Amino acid sequence: MLNEHSAPAFSRILIVDDEPLNLRVLKQILQDSYKLMFATSAQQAFELLQHDKPDLILLDVMMPDITGFELCANLKARSDLADIPVIFVTALKDEIDESNGLELGAVDYITKPVSPAIVRARVKTHLSLVKVDELKRTRLQVVERLGRAAEYKDNETGLHVKRMSHYAQILALAAGYSTEWAEELLHAAPMHDIGKIGTPDHILLKPGKLTEDEMVIMRQHTCIGADILGECDSSLMATASQVARWHHEKWDGSGYPDGLAGAEIPIAARIVALADVFDALTSERPYKQAWTVDAALAFITSQSGKHFDPQLVPLLIDNLPKLLAIKAKWADRLNQ
């Protein structure tokens, strides 16, 4: 028997229409599957939305005082309400009207008189999309926190991770990759050092130079990170696993853990390697002063074709104003 804590939660739908008959029809169609809220005017709808945020809004267009189009525009202008999907339910059939509504941010149109089957199908479809978006947001939050977990074992700051991740996104776009892949890299990059969770503290936090044996153990964080992230169907996690394992590889093959060279190194790892070093060099730490940007660029240029992909280094230089804007936005307190 289900208790109150395990009972399934019904999605909430706000239905806005100035005609009571239309409200009754939609109530009859949806009441068995969803928790319904009703408003007979835009003003009443806004009052309800101040206290209870629905998962979906079914909105009439032709209403007195404020039309559905105006109400939709007002909703989309509010950061706290803009993500609620709106479906217009209207007798209007003109393509111009439909285009108007979609341009305002509505996700769909249902024409009156409504078909129960169509109403149920459209509502189910868009609520499913809401769940997908919610799942994506949750996944990204978990990924971000997973990346932050490594910070508790390291002497780097969380702002370093944020900066280098944004640098990586900028470089990916500059290299001609899609907006979607560049955003994926933005979210994968924070996990590049997740394997340091498995590095003993006496090595990870040692103030002096590591011995050869200690360096062998330190370098294992790349493989540990790849093992933690594992093999899975998620493109994001696959990219993160590549970054974790190979961000210390070098273009000339002298890096670790696998001694990959050139294009053998996945592009995600090549980009993150460059972004990571640029930020590390130009950031102050308790154990070192920050390099000047000019000094960092001189070093990186000298390592083009050795440590770094020679096609990426010019892109970093060309996009320096964007990188410096990111650096200023998320500056460490040590650097201020």
Side-chain angles (χ1 to χ4, degrees), residues 231-250:
E231 296 182 8
C232 59
D233 296 332
S234 165
S235 175
L236 171 62
M237 297 304 285
T239 300
S241 182
Q242 290 181 355
V243 167
R245 185 175 183 93
W246 291 306
H247 69 285
H248 282 293
E249 299 288 359
K250 296 183 179 180

Side-chain angles (χ1 to χ4, degrees), residues 3-170:
N3 59 37
E4 61 177 349
H5 299 293
S6 59
F10 287 97
S11 295
R12 297 169 299 167
I13 300 173
L14 171 60
I15 304 174
V16 186
D17 198 307
D18 64 313
E19 292 290 340
L21 177 60
N22 293 332
L23 295 178
R24 287 197 295 270
V25 169
L26 290 171
K27 178 182 179 181
Q28 185 66 33
I29 295 170
L30 299 170
Q31 64 182 348
D32 290 340
S33 301
Y34 306 102
K35 179 181 178 181
L36 304 179
M37 305 155 57
F38 302 96
T40 56
S41 68
Q43 182 60 40
Q44 188 180 13
F46 263 120
E47 290 173 0
L48 286 172
L49 289 166
Q50 303 312 309
H51 308 288
D52 199 358
K53 184 177 177 180
D55 299 296
L56 180 71
I57 298 175
L58 297 179
L59 179 58
D60 184 29
V61 172
M62 299 305 295
M63 293 187 296
D65 300 326
I66 300 178
T67 69
F69 288 151
E70 293 171 309
L71 176 56
C72 183
N74 289 335
L75 292 174
K76 298 306 174 182
R78 289 270 301 266
S79 60
D80 57 331
L81 302 175
D83 61 337
I84 306 174
V86 174
I87 299 177
F88 281 120
V89 184
T90 177
L92 297 177
K93 297 181 180 179
D94 194 310
E95 288 184 6
I96 295 178
D97 291 318
E98 184 171 341
S99 176
N100 251 353
L102 296 176
E103 287 177 3
L104 289 171
V107 296
D108 210 342
Y109 255 82
I110 299 174
T111 56
K112 299 175 183 177
V114 299
S115 159
I118 289 176
V119 170
R120 293 189 191 99
R122 300 282 179 84
V123 166
K124 181 178 180 181
T125 294
H126 290 290
L127 284 174
S128 295
L129 293 175
V130 169
K131 295 298 183 185
V132 168
D133 288 342
E134 189 177 290
L135 182 60
K136 182 179 179 181
R137 286 194 299 271
T138 301
R139 184 182 70 176
L140 292 178
Q141 289 171 352
V142 170
V143 165
E144 181 180 335
R145 281 153 179 75
L146 185 60
R148 289 180 62 186
E151 297 166 25
Y152 287 93
K153 288 277 288 181
D154 202 354
N155 50 21
E156 302 288 2
T157 71
L159 292 177
H160 160 71
V161 172
K162 187 176 288 290
R163 287 192 302 268
M164 59 82 65
S165 299
H166 282 274
Y167 296 163
Q169 182 186 35
I170 290 169

Side-chain angles (χ1 to χ4, degrees), residues 222-223 241-270 273 305-309:
T222 55
C223 299
S241 182
Q242 290 181 355
V243 167
R245 185 175 183 93
W246 291 306
H247 69 285
H248 282 293
E249 299 288 359
K250 296 183 179 180
W251 185 260
D252 64 6
S254 64
Y256 64 90
D258 299 311
L260 301 183
E264 293 177 339
I265 308 167
I267 185 62
R270 281 181 265 156
K306 299 176 183 177
H307 188 156
F308 305 114
D309 182 337

